[in-house]
Amino acid sequence: MFAPAVEDALAFASLRHAGQTRKAEDTPYFTHLVHVAMIVARAGGDDPAVVIALLHDVLEDTVKSADERTAVAAEIEDRWGADVARSVHTLTEPKRDDEGRPVPWRARKEAYLEQLSLGDRRAWMVSAADKLHNLETLLIALERDGEGVWRRFWSGPEDNRWFYDRVLATVTPRLGEEHVLIRALGAAVTRFAAHLEQA
């Protein structure tokens, strides 16, 4: 059995992400969160890190207004504590500015990278696991469906290559080159770069 905090996060995330699907595949979005949580747990993450993995996209992808975001953020802090809430904020891309206007893709990613650089070990582990799972599923989709997969994304191959390279460069010195997540993410980034060069 999972710890009560993890069970609670599983239920919360499944409800918040109900009805959402993955871009690169027609599977429920919640499966991504479970995969990331499993990757973190297998890499030695503690229960709070697993909770962060399950909740890492809640503020980014399930709230529709600034007021709802504030309320959900407060609920996360109340239920799982300030450390978990802080890491979830670290891993949340700013999709809209203070006036409610959409933030361009590159600016969102740059803000994420800046936040990530100021995060803690749990946030770095979840980020590495998140990007690892994203890359693995993207590579499978590209192999299965071809380059048409990119029509489902806001950005193209080279933008994604830049972003994954930057995430790897950000978390590597913090977790260490020999960390199991860094080795796995580095291998996935290398395979992705090789795919782009062959495409």
Side-chain angles (χ1 to χ4, degrees):
M1 294 292 291
F2 293 116
V6 174
E7 293 279 5
D8 194 24
L10 277 164
F12 185 78
S14 68
L15 290 173
R16 294 294 311 179
H17 290 278
Q20 295 179 351
T21 56
R22 297 275 284 158
K23 287 179 188 173
E25 54 192 352
D26 294 323
T27 58
Y29 194 85
F30 181 64
T31 62
H32 166 65
L33 306 174
V34 173
H35 276 287
V36 174
M38 290 173 64
I39 292 168
V40 168
R42 288 174 179 168
D46 59 9
D47 286 342
V50 174
V51 168
I52 293 161
L54 291 167
L55 303 180
H56 77 271
D57 279 333
V58 165
L59 296 180
E60 184 175 318
D61 292 334
T62 75
V63 300
K64 295 180 174 58
S65 68
D67 288 344
E68 184 182 14
R69 178 187 168 117
T70 299
V72 173
E75 184 173 2
I76 290 172
E77 182 166 352
D78 287 345
R79 291 170 72 166
W80 292 283
D83 289 344
V84 166
R86 191 177 307 110
S87 288
V88 171
H89 278 288
T90 295
L91 298 167
T92 299
E93 290 182 17
K95 287 194 169 180
R96 295 191 175 274
D97 64 19
D98 293 339
E99 284 74 45
R101 295 171 299 202
V103 177
W105 184 89
R106 182 78 174 221
R108 283 170 38 200
K109 301 303 181 184
E110 288 174 345
Y112 174 89
L113 290 163
E114 176 63 24
Q115 292 167 190
L116 186 61
S117 71
L118 302 173
D120 61 15
R121 186 173 182 82
R122 289 175 180 137
W124 300 327
M125 288 182 69
V126 172
S127 180
D130 175 34
K131 303 319 172 199
L132 173 61
H133 187 247
N134 284 345
L135 263 180
E136 294 287 0
T137 55
L138 175 57
L139 285 164
I140 290 169
L142 286 166
E143 183 176 321
R144 182 187 63 227
D145 302 328
E147 299 304 304
V149 166
W150 292 112
R151 289 193 293 270
R152 305 176 198 171
F153 290 80
W154 291 103
S155 56
E158 289 304 323
D159 284 333
N160 277 270
R161 181 177 185 173
W162 164 83
F163 180 57
Y164 287 116
D165 283 346
R166 289 289 306 278
V167 171
L168 180 61
T170 300
V171 297
T172 296
R174 291 163 170 87
L175 293 178
E177 291 182 1
E178 296 306 311
H179 194 285
V180 61
L181 288 173
I182 296 303
R183 293 200 307 270
L185 180 58
V189 166
T190 298
R191 291 199 309 276
F192 183 54
H195 171 87
L196 295 186
E197 288 163 8
Q198 294 166 5

